[in-house]
Coordinates of all heavy atoms in Angstrom, one line a residue:
D956 N 0.9 -1.2 0.0 CA 0.0 0.0 0.0 C 0.9 1.2 0.0 O 2.1 1.1 -0.2 CB -1.0 0.0 1.2 CG -0.3 -0.1 2.5 OD1 0.9 0.3 2.6 OD2 -1.0 -0.5 3.5
E957 N 0.3 2.4 0.2 CA 1.0 3.7 0.1 C 2.2 3.8 1.0 O 3.2 4.5 0.7 CB 0.1 4.8 0.3 CG -0.9 5.1 -0.8 CD -2.2 4.3 -0.6 OE1 -2.1 3.2 0.1 OE2 -3.2 4.6 -1.2
T958 N 2.2 3.1 2.1 CA 3.4 3.1 3.0 C 4.2 1.8 3.1 O 5.1 1.7 3.9 CB 2.9 3.5 4.4 OG1 1.9 2.5 4.9 CG2 2.3 4.9 4.5
H959 N 3.8 0.9 2.2 CA 4.5 -0.4 2.2 C 4.8 -0.8 0.7 O 4.1 -1.7 0.2 CB 3.7 -1.5 2.9 CG 3.4 -1.2 4.3 ND1 2.3 -0.6 4.8 CD2 4.1 -1.6 5.4 CE1 2.3 -0.5 6.1 NE2 3.4 -1.1 6.5
G960 N 5.7 -0.1 0.1 CA 6.2 -0.5 -1.2 C 5.3 -0.2 -2.4 O 5.6 -0.7 -3.5
N961 N 4.2 0.6 -2.2 CA 3.3 0.9 -3.3 C 2.9 2.4 -3.2 O 1.7 2.6 -3.1 CB 2.1 0.0 -3.3 CG 1.5 -0.1 -4.7 OD1 2.1 -0.3 -5.7 ND2 0.2 0.2 -4.7
A962 N 3.8 3.3 -3.2 CA 3.6 4.7 -2.9 C 2.6 5.3 -3.9 O 1.9 6.3 -3.6 CB 4.9 5.5 -2.9
S963 N 2.5 4.7 -5.1 CA 1.6 5.3 -6.1 C 0.1 5.1 -5.7 O -0.8 5.9 -6.1 CB 1.8 4.6 -7.4 OG 1.3 3.2 -7.4
G964 N -0.1 4.2 -4.8 CA -1.5 3.9 -4.3 C -2.4 3.2 -5.3 O -3.5 2.9 -5.0
M965 N -1.8 2.8 -6.5 CA -2.5 2.1 -7.5 C -2.2 0.6 -7.3 O -1.0 0.2 -7.0 CB -2.2 2.6 -8.9 CG -2.5 4.1 -9.0 SD -2.0 4.7 -10.6 CE -3.2 4.0 -11.8
F966 N -3.1 -0.3 -7.5 CA -3.0 -1.7 -7.4 C -2.4 -2.1 -6.0 O -1.4 -2.8 -5.9 CB -2.1 -2.3 -8.5 CG -2.2 -3.8 -8.6 CD1 -3.2 -4.5 -8.0 CD2 -1.2 -4.4 -9.4 CE1 -3.2 -5.9 -8.1 CE2 -1.3 -5.8 -9.6 CZ -2.3 -6.6 -8.9
N967 N -3.0 -1.6 -4.9 CA -2.7 -2.1 -3.6 C -3.0 -3.5 -3.5 O -4.0 -4.0 -4.0 CB -3.4 -1.3 -2.5 CG -2.8 0.1 -2.3 OD1 -1.7 0.4 -2.7 ND2 -3.6 1.0 -1.8
R968 N -2.2 -4.3 -2.7 CA -2.3 -5.7 -2.7 C -2.2 -6.2 -1.2 O -1.6 -5.6 -0.4 CB -1.3 -6.4 -3.5 CG -1.5 -6.4 -5.0 CD -0.1 -6.3 -5.8 NE 0.4 -4.9 -5.8 CZ 1.6 -4.6 -5.9 NH1 2.6 -5.5 -6.1 NH2 2.0 -3.3 -5.9
S969 N -2.8 -7.4 -1.0 CA -2.6 -8.1 0.3 C -2.5 -9.6 0.0 O -2.4 -10.0 -1.1 CB -3.9 -7.8 1.1 OG -5.0 -8.6 0.7
Y970 N -2.4 -10.3 1.1 CA -2.2 -11.8 1.0 C -3.3 -12.5 0.2 O -3.1 -13.5 -0.4 CB -2.2 -12.4 2.4 CG -3.5 -12.3 3.2 CD1 -4.6 -13.2 3.0 CD2 -3.7 -11.2 4.1 CE1 -5.8 -13.1 3.7 CE2 -4.9 -11.1 4.8 CZ -5.9 -12.0 4.6 OH -7.1 -11.9 5.3
K971 N -4.5 -11.8 0.0 CA -5.6 -12.4 -0.8 C -5.2 -12.5 -2.2 O -5.8 -13.3 -3.0 CB -6.8 -11.6 -0.6 CG -7.3 -11.5 0.8 CD -8.5 -10.6 0.9 CE -9.0 -10.4 2.4 NZ -10.2 -9.5 2.4
D972 N -4.2 -11.7 -2.7 CA -3.9 -11.7 -4.1 C -2.7 -12.6 -4.5 O -2.3 -12.7 -5.6 CB -3.5 -10.2 -4.5 CG -4.6 -9.2 -4.2 OD1 -5.7 -9.5 -4.7 OD2 -4.3 -8.2 -3.6
Y973 N -2.3 -13.4 -3.5 CA -1.2 -14.3 -3.7 C -1.6 -15.8 -3.4 O -2.8 -16.0 -2.9 CB 0.0 -13.9 -2.9 CG 0.5 -12.5 -3.2 CD1 0.0 -11.4 -2.4 CD2 1.3 -12.3 -4.3 CE1 0.4 -10.1 -2.7 CE2 1.7 -11.0 -4.6 CZ 1.3 -9.9 -3.8 OH 1.6 -8.6 -4.1
H974 N -0.8 -16.7 -3.6 CA -1.1 -18.1 -3.3 C -0.5 -18.5 -1.9 O 0.6 -18.0 -1.6 CB -0.5 -19.0 -4.4 CG -1.1 -18.9 -5.7 ND1 -0.4 -18.5 -6.8 CD2 -2.4 -19.1 -6.1 CE1 -1.2 -18.4 -7.9 NE2 -2.4 -18.8 -7.5
P975 N -1.2 -19.3 -1.2 CA -2.6 -19.8 -1.4 C -3.6 -18.7 -1.0 O -3.3 -17.8 -0.4 CB -2.7 -21.0 -0.5 CG -1.8 -20.6 0.7 CD -0.6 -19.9 0.1
N976 N -4.9 -19.0 -1.5 CA -6.0 -18.0 -1.2 C -7.3 -18.7 -1.2 O -7.3 -20.0 -1.1 CB -5.9 -16.9 -2.2 CG -5.9 -17.4 -3.6 OD1 -6.7 -18.3 -4.0 ND2 -5.1 -16.8 -4.5
D977 N -8.4 -18.0 -1.2 CA -9.7 -18.6 -1.1 C -10.1 -19.3 -2.4 O -11.2 -19.9 -2.4 CB -10.7 -17.5 -0.7 CG -10.8 -16.4 -1.7 OD1 -10.0 -16.3 -2.6 OD2 -11.7 -15.5 -1.6
I978 N -9.3 -19.2 -3.5 CA -9.6 -19.9 -4.7 C -8.9 -21.2 -4.8 O -9.5 -22.3 -5.1 CB -9.3 -19.0 -6.0 CG1 -10.1 -17.7 -6.0 CG2 -9.4 -19.8 -7.3 CD1 -9.7 -16.8 -7.1
H979 N -7.6 -21.2 -4.6 CA -6.8 -22.4 -4.7 C -5.5 -22.3 -4.0 O -5.1 -21.2 -3.6 CB -6.6 -22.9 -6.1 CG -6.1 -21.8 -7.0 ND1 -6.2 -22.0 -8.4 CD2 -5.5 -20.6 -6.8 CE1 -5.7 -20.9 -9.0 NE2 -5.2 -20.1 -8.0
E980 N -4.8 -23.4 -3.8 CA -3.5 -23.4 -3.1 C -2.5 -22.7 -4.0 O -1.6 -22.0 -3.5 CB -3.1 -24.8 -2.8 CG -3.9 -25.5 -1.6 CD -3.5 -24.8 -0.3 OE1 -2.3 -24.7 0.0 OE2 -4.5 -24.4 0.4
R981 N -2.5 -23.0 -5.3 CA -1.5 -22.5 -6.2 C -2.1 -22.7 -7.6 O -3.0 -23.4 -7.9 CB -0.2 -23.3 -6.1 CG -0.3 -24.8 -6.2 CD 1.0 -25.4 -6.3 NE 1.7 -25.0 -7.5 CZ 3.0 -25.4 -7.8 NH1 3.7 -26.1 -7.0 NH2 3.6 -25.0 -8.9
D982 N -1.4 -22.1 -8.6 CA -1.8 -22.3 -10.0 C -0.8 -23.4 -10.6 O 0.0 -24.0 -9.8 CB -1.7 -21.0 -10.8 CG -0.3 -20.3 -10.8 OD1 0.7 -21.0 -10.5 OD2 -0.2 -19.1 -11.1
S983 N -0.9 -23.6 -11.9 CA -0.1 -24.7 -12.5 C 1.3 -24.2 -12.8 O 2.1 -25.0 -13.3 CB -0.8 -25.2 -13.7 OG -1.0 -24.2 -14.7
G984 N 1.6 -23.0 -12.6 CA 2.9 -22.5 -13.0 C 4.0 -22.8 -11.9 O 3.7 -23.2 -10.8
D985 N 5.2 -22.6 -12.3 CA 6.3 -22.8 -11.3 C 6.2 -21.8 -10.2 O 5.8 -20.6 -10.5 CB 7.7 -22.7 -12.0 CG 7.9 -23.8 -13.0 OD1 7.2 -24.8 -13.0 OD2 8.8 -23.6 -13.9

């Protein structure tokens, strides 16, 4: 977010946007 590596404030992210999450453990990629 704006104070954690994303000062632009665009495309803020959290653990929900990474693996694992509420969709699946991981994708088929490396």
Side-chain angles (χ1 to χ4, degrees):
D956 60 20
E957 288 86 340
T958 56
H959 299 90
N961 199 56
S963 69
M965 301 174 73
F966 195 15
N967 285 337
R968 285 145 280 158
S969 73
Y970 64 85
K971 298 177 183 178
D972 301 310
Y973 302 96
H974 294 117
N976 54 44
D977 59 352
I978 296 177
H979 51 196
E980 287 292 310
R981 54 170 296 175
D982 58 22
S983 62
D985 295 343

